Amino acid sequence: MECLVIDGGYGLHGEIKVQGSKNGALPVLAASVLGGRSVIHNCPRLTDTDSSLEILRMLGCGAVRNGNTVTVDADCVPRCDIPPELMRRMRSSVIFLGAVLARCGRAIVSAPGGCELGPRPIDLHLSAMRKLGAEITEKDGLVCCESRGRLKGAEIVLPFPSVGATENIIIAASTAKGRTTLVGAAKEPEITELADFINAKGGRISGAGSDVLVIDGVEAAGNCEHTCIPDRIAAATFIAAAAATGSELTLSDVCPEHIAAVISVFEKAGCRFETKGGKLTVAAPERLKAVRFLQTAPYPAFPTDAQAVTAAALATADGVSVISETIFGSRFRYLRELKRMGANAESEGGIAVIRGVDRLRGAEMHCTDLRGGAALVVAALGAEGRSEIRSLRHIDRGYESFEAALAALGAKIYRNVKNETADTIDVFREASGV
Ligand code: EPZ
C-alpha cells in the first residue's frame, strides 16, 4: 500500500507558495454550471477538484484542465442527474444541487460523501431549496428536486451558518426570479470568493462576508475569468509544520487576514510572525508553549479544519492544551494514531486534552480523514525517527503535491508507491535525501 515515509527531526526552511483554496475552488466549479464560459486560475490539482471536473463532464459541460487553470464551458447542460458513485466521492458534490437545479429546473442527487467527521446531514440545503420554490422528493436514496420554471427569490434564515448550505443558496438564488435575503449566512472567505465569482458572471450578490446576504436573481450567467484565493487551511498546515519542527518558514500567496485566528493561537504558543511584501514569515521557538484553551467555531473564529494540525504541533508543547471542537462530532479520530507516536492525548465528546511530551517517536499510522492525515504528517516531521503514513487518499483530496512541497523545504519525506521495486525506492530516497 502507498505510504509517506518521513524521517523526522529535521528543520524546515525557505519559502513555499500556498496552493489555491480547495474549499474555494469546489463551489466555484459547481457554480460554473450556471452558464457561459468560466476560466478559473490557481485551481488546485487535487482528487476533489478532479471529481468536480468529472461531475461537470458527466453533466455535459466542457471541463478542461491545463495545469492550474481550468476552463468550464456550460453553454449547454443536457443532464441533471449525478450518479451516486460521483456523489459519494466528496461532501461538496452537494453544492451541485443548487447549481443544476437553477440551470436545468431539475436535479437528481444522492447523499454526498466526504470525510467521516460525524453526522453530516443536508437538511439545511434541502429546506432552503424548498423555500426557493423547489419540490423535493426522496426515494431509494435519491433526492429529486424540481422547480417549475425559474426558482423564486425568498427570505431564508439559517439556524446555523452552514458553509455548504450558504453556498448552495447563493448559487441557486443567483438566477432565481426576484430577491433572496439570507440571514445567518456563513462568513468564510470562500463564501466571498463564490459571490465574487458569480458577480463576475453577471450576478448581483451583496453582503458576502457578513451574516446577511442579498441576492438579486439575474436571467442568465455569462463568461468570466477568476483566480482562486489562497488556501487558508494549507497555510495553517505549513505554519503548524514550522511550529512542530522549530523552524522558520515564509509563505507566499497567502492572506494573513484569513488566518488571523490561527496566527493568534500560534503566537500564544510562542511563534513569531512577520508580514512583509505580501508574504508571511513564521518563526517557531525550539519548544512551543501549550495553549490553555482553543475552541473551533465558524469564521472568523478558529477553523475546525486547522484543529488537527494545531493539535499535532501542540503534542510536544510545554504544558497542557485543551481543545474544544464545536463544528463536527467526530473530529478527534486522528488522536488514536498520534498516540502511536507517543502523544499523550485524550478526547471525550468535543473536548481533547493534550499533555505535551518531550518528543514524539516515528510510527506506522493511517490517515483517518483529510486534516487528520495532515496532522500525522506534521507530527512525523517533528518526531524522532521514521514514520510511515498510509491511507493517503485522504491527504490527496486536499493537499497539492504535499510531499514535494515539504521536501523542497528540507523535510526528509517521500512517497513509497504501490508495487515499488527497490530501485524506485532508491531513486525517491536519493531525490529527497532520506
Ligand atoms: C465545509 O463543509 C468545508 N468543506 C469543511 O472542510 C469545513 O470543515 C466546514 O465547511 C466547516 O468550516 C467544504 O467547503 C468543501 P457546514 P460543510 O455545512 O459545508 C451541520 C475540509 O477539511 N449541518 O458548515 O459540509 C454539519 O453536520 C472540509 O476541507 C447540518 O446539520 O460544513 C456540521 O456539524 C471538511 N445540516 C455543521 O453543520 C446541514 O444541512 C457545519 O457544516 C448542513 C450542515
Side-chain angles (χ1 to χ4, degrees), residues 84 108-112 137-144:
I108 303 170
V109 299
S110 59
T137 46
E138 295 180 60
K139 202 176 166 220
D140 301 330
L142 292 181
V143 180
C144 179

Side-chain angles (χ1 to χ4, degrees), residues 59-81:
L59 292 169
C61 301
V64 178
R65 177 188 279 286
N66 184 1
N68 287 83
T69 296
V70 164
T71 303
V72 181
D73 277 302
D75 281 334
C76 155
V77 182
R79 278 186 71 167
C80 65
D81 60 308

